[in-house]
């Protein structure tokens, strides 16, 4: 088991979730139950799956949850890009979040590789 609070990837994912909540507060109210809900759900899913995986019984299980985390990361990037294309949010507000999501994805792949190596 890992102490997820000490993992830099979890800390960065938590910051992203907070940033996403701030940005989505500016989206139109008619998107509240559609795109806004989906964006928030993905943002919360990223640090949540890192935490859940870290508490599992094996590195293989942790890697599985990191795979789910990566899917949510790419899903969130896509949703933010859709928001931009629909002109619901300014590009300048989502570009730093997307940059941080790419960093989380890279950290995720590195962590998965490390866990798989330590499992041998």
């Amino acid at each position: 088991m890992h102490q997820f609070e000490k993992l830099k990837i979890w800390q960065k994912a938590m910051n992203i979730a907070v940033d996403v909540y701030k940005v989505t507060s500016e989206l139109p109210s008619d998107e509240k139950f559609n795109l806004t809900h989906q964006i928030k759900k993905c943002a919360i899913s990223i640090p949540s799956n890192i935490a859940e995986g870290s508490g599992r019984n094996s590195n293989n299980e942790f890697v599985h949850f990191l795979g789910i985390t990566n899917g949510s990361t790419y899903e969130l990037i896509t949703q933010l890009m859709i928001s931009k294309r629909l002109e619901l949010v300014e590009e300048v507000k989502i570009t730093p979040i997307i940059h941080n999501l790419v960093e989380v994805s890279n950290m995720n792949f590195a962590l998965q590789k490390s866990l798989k190596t330590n499992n041998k």
Side-chain angles (χ1 to χ4, degrees), residues 4-5 7-15 47-48 50-51:
F4 66 89
E5 304 97 326
L7 294 172
K8 289 184 181 183
I9 187 174
W10 179 83
Q11 294 168 4
K12 191 165 199 68
M14 288 290 287
N15 291 337
S48 297
I50 294 167

Side-chain angles (χ1 to χ4, degrees), residues 7-88:
L7 294 172
K8 289 184 181 183
I9 187 174
W10 179 83
Q11 294 168 4
K12 191 165 199 68
M14 288 290 287
N15 291 337
I16 289 169
V18 170
D19 291 342
V20 164
Y21 263 73
K22 289 176 183 174
V23 167
T24 56
S25 71
E26 299 175 19
L27 293 175
S29 60
D30 64 335
E31 282 298 330
K32 183 177 181 181
F33 298 108
N34 298 316
L35 191 55
T36 302
H37 173 73
Q38 192 64 31
I39 288 172
K40 287 178 176 180
K41 187 177 170 183
C42 277
I44 292 169
S45 175
I46 296 168
S48 297
N49 277 299
I50 294 167
E52 184 173 356
S54 73
R56 293 298 175 141
N57 296 322
S58 70
N59 283 351
N60 283 340
E61 288 181 279
F62 194 2
V63 168
H64 171 75
F65 279 90
L66 290 173
I68 295 168
T69 297
N70 223 34
S72 294
T73 301
Y74 287 130
E75 188 177 357
L76 181 53
I77 290 170
T78 300
Q79 292 161 357
L80 291 171
M81 292 173 126
I82 289 169
S83 297
K84 183 190 80 140
R85 285 187 178 196
L86 292 172
E87 298 179 358
L88 299 173

